[in-house]
Amino acid sequence: MKLRYKIGGTIVVLLVLALSSLALVLSHNKACPTAPELAAGSNTMKAIVYRCYGPPEVLQLEDREMPTVADNEVLVKIEAASVNPLDWHYMRGAPYVMRLMGAGLGAPADTSMGVDFAGTIEAVGSDVTRFQPGDEVFGGRGGAFGEYLSMPEDRAISLKPDNVSFEQAAAVPIAAVSALQALRDKGQLQAGQKVLINGASGGVGTYAVQIAKAMGAEVTGVCSTRNLDMVRSIGADHVIDYKKDNFTEREERYDLVIDNVGNHSFLAYRNVLKPGGMLVIVGGSSGNWIGPFTNPLKAVVGSPFVDYDFAMLMAVMNQDDLAFLAELMASGEMSSVIDRRYPLSEVAEAVAYSESGRARGKIIVNVVANTTE
C-alpha cells in the first residue's frame, strides 16, 4: 500500500476517534450532587436550582444565599417570572453545542434558572442613577426563578408601566423582544405591508401579531383551531387554521413571514412571499446535535432557487427595546396572553408544560404567591 494511502487512512481514523470522543464528552451527563450546606447565619432566599442536566425533575426549590449588590447594581424583589423554551434547553443542556458555549460540560456551570422577571427595586448601589428603591421594573436576568436577583442598572431592565400587572410584564422580555426584532430589525416591516405569523398563538407569535398591528401592518395569523378566536382577539386581521388549510398552497402573497414553527420547507415559501419579500426564522429546529443548524443549512442550499430574502433571528435583550415595549403596554397596544400560572414550588411542572408545546401565549411563575402559601 502506498504511503499516502496509509497516511490518509490514519488521518481518517484519528478524525473519527476525535469526533467520537467529543460527542461522548458533550453528551455526558454527570450525576446530580447534593446541595452544599450554607454557612451558619447566612441571609437566604428561596430559588429554583438545577445541579445536573435532565428532565424537569432536576429542578429543585432550595435555600440560597441572598445576592449581593455592587455599586452599579440594583436588587430586585421578584414578584413574577415567566417560562421560555430557553429554560428547558438549559435544563437539558441541549442542543449540546450550548455546553461548549458556556452552559457547562457534564453539569451546569450556572445552577440558577429563569430569565424573564418583574418585581420591585429593594436596594440600589451607590453609583446607580436610573432606579431607586420602590421602582417597579421588568427585564431579563439569569436567576429569575427566585425571590431576589441583582443586576447592573445598564442591562436589560426597564420601568414597568403603572397600568400593567407584574404578571403581564414578566411575560414580555424574551418573547416580545424576539417578536420586535424579527419584525422591525430583520423583517424591516413597513406600515401597509402584509405579514404572516406562523405560530401566532405561542409566546413570540402573540406579541408579533400585536406589534405588527401597532406598526400598521395587515396581519395574518396561523394557528390551530382552538386558538383562532384568541388570535383574532389580539388583533389579527385574518386567521388560518393550519389543521384545515395549508397556507403555503393559498394564493395570498405576503411581504414578510415570521416563522416560529419551522413546519414547512424552505422552498415552500416561494408560494407565500412576494418577489423580494422576507422570511424571518425565529428559533432553531429541535434535536440534540445539529438541530440549530438545520434551518441555516436548508436556507443556504435552497437560496439559489427562491426570489425572496431570509434571515435567522437570535434576539438580544436591551433597555431600549424593553422601554419601547413598555410604551406599547402602557398605551394598550400590546398585552400578554397568559395560559397558566404556577407557584415557585411548581416550576418543574411549569417547564414540563412549556416543553410539551401546548401552551398558548406565556406561562407565569408567581414568586410572591409561593411565599404567602
Side-chain angles (χ1 to χ4, degrees):
M1 182 181 295
K2 293 183 178 181
L3 179 60
R4 64 174 180 271
Y5 293 138
K6 292 182 179 180
I7 294 174
T10 301
I11 292 173
V12 170
V13 170
L14 291 175
L15 182 60
V16 170
L17 289 173
L19 291 175
S20 299
S21 299
L22 178 62
L24 288 173
V25 170
L26 287 178
S27 60
H28 173 65
N29 290 338
K30 295 180 180 179
C32 278
T34 57
E37 291 188 8
L38 298 174
S42 295
N43 190 14
T44 63
M45 66 173 188
K46 294 291 186 182
I48 295 295
V49 175
Y50 76 125
R51 302 186 183 280
C52 57
Y53 294 125
E57 289 73 24
V58 303
L59 305 178
Q60 298 294 320
L61 183 65
E62 297 182 6
D63 288 323
R64 301 201 79 176
E65 289 191 6
M66 283 278 292
T68 57
V69 183
D71 292 342
N72 67 330
E73 290 185 332
V74 298
L75 178 69
V76 182
K77 180 180 180 181
I78 301 174
E79 302 282 342
S82 70
V83 180
N84 294 283
L86 181 66
D87 299 319
W88 45 265
H89 281 302
Y90 271 106
M91 177 188 74
R92 294 188 179 274
Y96 295 140
V97 69
M98 293 175 60
R99 305 186 183 195
L100 279 177
M101 297 173 65
L105 294 176
D110 180 358
T111 60
S112 61
M113 281 292 293
V115 176
D116 290 352
F117 71 87
T120 305
I121 300 287
E122 184 147 304
V124 300
S126 59
D127 295 338
V128 171
T129 60
R130 294 185 63 246
F131 302 100
Q132 59 186 2
D135 284 346
E136 295 182 348
V137 295
F138 73 108
R141 175 72 167 177
F145 295 159
E147 293 179 323
Y148 293 88
L149 62 75
S150 61
M151 64 185 297
E153 68 163 342
D154 61 353
R155 298 293 176 85
I157 181 171
S158 180
L159 291 172
K160 178 184 74 65
D162 293 336
N163 62 336
V164 173
S165 70
F166 286 111
E167 287 187 349
Q168 283 277 317
V172 165
I174 287 181
V177 167
S178 295
L180 175 62
Q181 293 178 3
L183 292 163
R184 182 196 63 198
D185 302 339
K186 297 293 186 179
Q188 298 290 303
L189 182 63
Q190 303 296 315
Q193 289 186 327
K194 293 183 177 182
V195 58
L196 180 140
I197 313 294
N198 187 24
S201 61
V204 175
T206 51
Y207 291 119
V209 168
Q210 298 174 80
I211 294 170
K213 285 299 297 179
M215 295 175 70
E218 180 180 335
V219 181
T220 298
V222 181
C223 59
S224 64
T225 310
R226 74 184 185 104
N227 294 320
L228 294 175
D229 289 340
M230 183 270 287
V231 173
R232 285 194 190 96
S233 73
I234 58 175
D237 299 288
H238 318 282
V239 291
I240 297 174
D241 183 348
Y242 74 81
K243 293 188 175 182
K244 300 179 180 178
D245 195 354
N246 184 345
F247 69 85
T248 68
E249 297 175 354
R250 293 163 63 99
E251 295 183 357
E252 190 69 34
R253 299 292 179 266
Y254 302 91
D255 300 285
L256 172 64
V257 171
I258 305 297
D259 187 1
N260 302 305
V261 184
N263 57 346
H264 293 282
S265 72
F266 186 76
L267 293 179
Y269 283 105
R270 290 181 300 181
N271 305 323
V272 181
L273 284 155
K274 298 176 180 179
M278 172 66 77
L279 167 66
V280 179
I281 301 170
V282 180
S285 301
S286 60
N288 292 334
W289 293 101
I290 65 170
F293 309 106
T294 302
N295 286 331
L297 287 173
K298 289 179 179 177
V300 170
V301 172
S303 59
F305 306 101
V306 299
D307 57 357
Y308 62 83
D309 296 321
F310 65 91
M312 300 288 298
L313 177 74
M314 292 294 291
V316 178
M317 274 196 289
N318 60 79
Q319 287 189 348
D320 289 342
D321 285 351
L322 288 176
F324 177 81
L325 295 168
E327 291 177 1
L328 290 183
M329 288 190 287
S331 67
E333 294 177 278
M334 187 186 83
S335 62
S336 299
V337 176
I338 296 174
D339 186 336
R340 295 186 183 182
R341 298 167 173 83
Y342 295 83
L344 185 62
S345 58
E346 296 178 9
V347 163
E349 290 85 344
V351 173
Y353 181 56
S354 173
E355 198 173 12
S356 74
R358 301 194 307 269
R360 301 197 305 174
K362 295 302 300 289
I363 302 163
I364 294 298
V365 175
N366 278 308
V367 177
V368 170
N370 184 83
T371 303
T372 58
E373 286 178 352

